[in-house]
Amino acid sequence: MTPFRPKNKPMPATSDLDDARRRIHAAYDPELLRSAGGRLAELLSRHLAAIQSGAGPVIPWHQPPDYVQQASRMLADAPGLAASPELLTQRFADLVTEMLGRGINLHHPRYIGHQVPASVPVAGLFDAVGSVTNQPMAIYEMGPWATAAEWAMVRELGQAIGWQPGEFSGLVTHGGSLANFTALLTARNVALGDVWERGVPRDGPPPVLVVHADAHYCVSRSAGMLGLGTDHVLRVPLDDRRRMDPNRLDEILADLRARRQPIVAAVACSCSTPIGAFDPLPEIADACRRHEVWLHVDAAHGGAACLSPRHQHLVTGLELADSIVWDAHKMLFMPALCAFVFYRDKARRFETFRQVAPYLFDPTAPGLAEYDSGLRAVECTKRAAAFGLWGVWALFGPQLFADLVDVTFGMGQVLYGKLCAARDFEPVHDPQCNIVVFRHVPDALRDAPPERLGRFQMDLRRRLIESGQFYIVSTNIDRVGALRVTIINPLTTPDHLDQLLDALRDQGRRLLAEA
């Protein structure tokens, strides 16, 4: 092998490098971090105190171009590296103040929108340790404590699912969509043999995914990325509670096996996104076992029910799944993003990828491969996503997480009761968790066609969030628009829910008057 010989290049002047180093020092000065960090803690605590008390709007609504213009203007006003530490600290505080004043306020008790929580505030401080010191963790030696924290939480949550230590495996990845993709990639490789090396076979019947009819859109997206194609996602009909029907699943799997059509996996939900329905997992697992099909459960939202003695019955049978996704940035109330992927059989943990990367993984320490997350995760560089959950669990213990589930799930039932008691509201379902879907039906729309009633819900929601009073979302149930609430702030009270109904009535009257 011919050795590499670099060409002669002109060297930069030493004085130029010294000048650059002096300028860089301003950004790396520990004293700037100390003074800016003190201001940050003060601003954040003051902001949360006001927001958690219900002051101000849930979202200070502006059109996107307005905000982009403001953010761009701030870039142009940078004081620069030559500015004094005092000026830089003040500029930092000004920028943080703008950020806090312009963003959505998830800690506001009238935030009851997407499945994104009012996160435990101190979790962000644990996250900040990983962010400031930059603890990437593709390999153990680059993030030893980040790896340890992740492994500790995998063990705790896996045992909460119902598995025995040493029998299962898990990892953290960046979000539920990536987590579902990772688990289904593993299922594909197990189901289709040498597909990693040779690709999805083009001869014979195409492989399929068999999924809950209301499965999250990322499942279909995964089918596309896995080379299966979204046309080969087969949706299982639902029962009267919008849960997967195990009998129909059994029929579909039996038919596919009779036709010798490869099945990558069956995908169940705990719980589904539209209304929070928990599938009957023991019956679904029985069908999958009979037909030798990998069972994957998307428990991104509902997995936390494992930690609540009051609600763990909702996830009975979760331990029977071959793979599970569970988002800590939902019902474990962590900042985004922190999503867990679990495998019931530890032997499957290296089926996801079959690659060699000699520049990354050290063959002189093969025992460390078990702890190198890059061998099992899509990401190479991965943030220390478990620091927040590990820190909060180590600070408060598991009871906090049971309480968070109990309070927010309980509030789902409180809202349901208020909707049932109100003549001008119609709940779409009896909620199993903190996701509640309903419609506002004033007298003027009592006999309206479904299209008009659904359009009214969509327009009403838009008016409500732009007012800043509440943040809720919308959905379609049976192709008719509806309002959807996720009570994912433990500071939301029954009084706030009464205010929600009143605000919807008020905005509805204005909307009808204008129409």
Side-chain angles (χ1 to χ4, degrees):
M1 180 184 297
T2 303
F4 172 73
R5 299 187 183 281
K7 297 179 180 178
N8 292 328
K9 290 184 178 181
M11 295 294 291
T14 303
S15 59
D16 292 342
L17 294 180
D18 289 341
D19 289 342
R21 285 194 182 94
R22 280 193 291 271
R23 290 192 296 270
I24 288 171
H25 177 75
Y28 282 78
D29 185 0
E31 279 301 304
L32 176 61
L33 178 67
R34 183 194 60 77
S35 59
R39 294 294 298 275
L40 176 63
E42 175 190 349
L43 291 168
L44 282 173
S45 61
R46 189 188 307 161
H47 173 77
L48 286 179
I51 293 301
Q52 291 178 180
S53 71
V58 180
I59 178 171
W61 182 260
H62 284 77
Q63 293 298 330
D66 296 339
Y67 268 178
V68 172
Q69 185 178 14
Q70 292 176 38
S72 298
R73 188 165 56 244
M74 291 175 193
L75 295 177
D77 294 338
L81 295 169
S84 68
E86 294 77 16
L87 178 58
L88 290 172
T89 299
Q90 183 57 51
R91 174 65 172 171
F92 171 83
D94 293 341
L95 295 173
V96 170
T97 300
E98 288 292 331
M99 295 166 68
L100 294 175
R102 307 294 186 183
I104 190 168
N105 294 309
L106 301 184
H107 292 81
H108 199 298
R110 294 198 298 273
Y111 172 85
I112 43 177
H114 289 289
Q115 292 159 265
V116 183
S119 55
V120 178
V122 73
L125 301 184
F126 288 110
D127 270 357
V129 175
S131 296
V132 171
T133 61
N134 198 15
Q135 302 286 307
M137 48 181 303
I139 54 175
Y140 171 76
E141 60 194 50
M142 282 294 289
W145 193 251
T147 303
E150 179 175 311
W151 271 66
M153 292 316 310
V154 165
R155 288 180 177 178
E156 289 287 348
L157 298 183
Q159 290 177 69
I161 289 170
W163 293 326
Q164 295 301 312
E167 295 180 357
F168 63 92
S169 178
L171 67 146
V172 170
T173 190
H174 293 156
S177 294
L178 190 56
N180 274 305
F181 171 76
T182 303
L184 292 173
L185 174 59
T186 308
R188 187 203 68 170
N189 293 348
V190 171
L192 303 183
D194 60 358
V195 63
W196 178 264
E197 295 81 9
R198 298 182 178 273
V200 176
R202 296 184 179 182
D203 55 334
V208 297
L209 273 178
V210 182
V211 310
H212 184 293
D214 280 345
H216 193 271
Y217 75 87
C218 73
V219 173
S220 290
R221 180 176 286 182
S222 294
M225 293 191 293
L226 292 170
L228 306 176
T230 57
D231 287 348
H232 300 124
V233 175
L234 307 183
R235 297 187 179 274
V236 181
L238 307 178
D239 64 16
D240 58 357
R241 300 185 69 182
R242 299 192 76 85
R243 305 177 305 171
M244 182 189 285
D245 185 332
N247 294 323
R248 297 300 303 275
L249 172 67
D250 187 65
E251 294 169 3
I252 291 171
L253 296 181
D255 179 64
L256 291 168
R257 287 303 192 208
R259 291 190 280 114
R260 298 184 180 276
Q261 188 154 9
I263 306 169
V264 169
V267 180
C269 296
S270 286
C271 51
S272 65
T273 300
I275 68 165
F278 285 80
D279 283 340
L281 296 179
E283 294 87 347
I284 290 171
D286 283 345
C288 290
R289 192 161 42 239
R290 273 194 300 277
H291 301 289
E292 298 182 332
V293 172
W294 181 288
L295 173 58
H296 173 67
V297 178
D298 182 351
H301 187 86
C306 290
L307 304 175
S308 164
R310 185 177 300 176
H311 294 99
Q312 60 191 194
H313 67 279
L314 294 169
V315 289
T316 297
L318 187 60
E319 73 282 358
L320 303 173
D322 294 289
S323 58
I324 296 167
V325 163
W326 179 352
D327 286 357
H329 59 269
K330 287 188 171 68
M331 289 303 298
L332 292 178
F333 290 79
M334 290 296 108
L337 290 162
C338 179
F340 287 79
V341 181
F342 291 98
Y343 301 109
R344 177 169 54 87
D345 182 356
K346 184 179 180 181
R348 301 298 193 188
R349 66 196 184 282
F350 292 124
E351 292 283 354
T352 319
F353 305 101
R354 300 166 186 164
Q355 293 176 286
V356 176
Y359 53 85
L360 190 61
F361 306 112
D362 185 356
T364 66
L368 292 181
E370 184 71 30
Y371 300 94
D372 292 340
S373 65
L375 288 169
R376 296 175 293 130
V378 173
E379 305 96 325
C380 179
T381 302
K382 188 178 84 171
R383 67 182 293 268
F387 271 170
L389 181 60
W390 171 82
V392 170
W393 191 295
L395 195 62
F396 298 113
Q399 184 63 50
L400 171 64
F401 301 98
D403 290 342
L404 289 167
V405 170
D406 290 347
V407 167
T408 53
F409 279 27
M411 290 300 292
Q413 284 298 317
V414 170
L415 177 57
Y416 177 68
K418 292 180 181 296
L419 294 169
C420 290
R423 182 177 178 276
D424 54 343
F425 286 91
E426 292 181 353
V428 170
H429 65 120
D430 183 351
Q432 291 185 283
C433 62
N434 54 335
I435 299 173
V436 186
V437 181
F438 60 96
R439 296 187 181 97
H440 177 37
V441 189
D443 288 340
L445 297 178
R446 184 65 55 187
D447 298 319
E451 295 80 9
R452 186 183 177 201
L453 182 60
R455 182 71 257 172
F456 176 75
Q457 311 305 314
M458 301 296 185
D459 292 341
L460 180 58
R461 181 256 175 186
R462 172 54 54 188
R463 293 282 293 262
L464 183 68
I465 68 165
E466 290 187 7
S467 75
Q469 294 173 284
F470 280 86
Y471 188 92
I472 65 174
V473 299
S474 58
T475 189
N476 286 304
I477 301 296
D478 298 325
R479 299 184 179 180
V480 179
L483 303 172
R484 181 175 174 276
V485 158
T486 304
I487 304 171
I488 201 161
N489 185 339
L491 305 178
T492 301
T493 68
D495 287 344
H496 295 119
L497 301 180
D498 287 332
Q499 295 167 22
L500 169 66
L501 302 190
D502 288 341
L504 288 169
R505 290 182 178 113
D506 179 58
Q507 293 292 346
R509 281 191 294 268
R510 298 183 187 186
L511 193 57
L512 289 171
E514 293 174 8

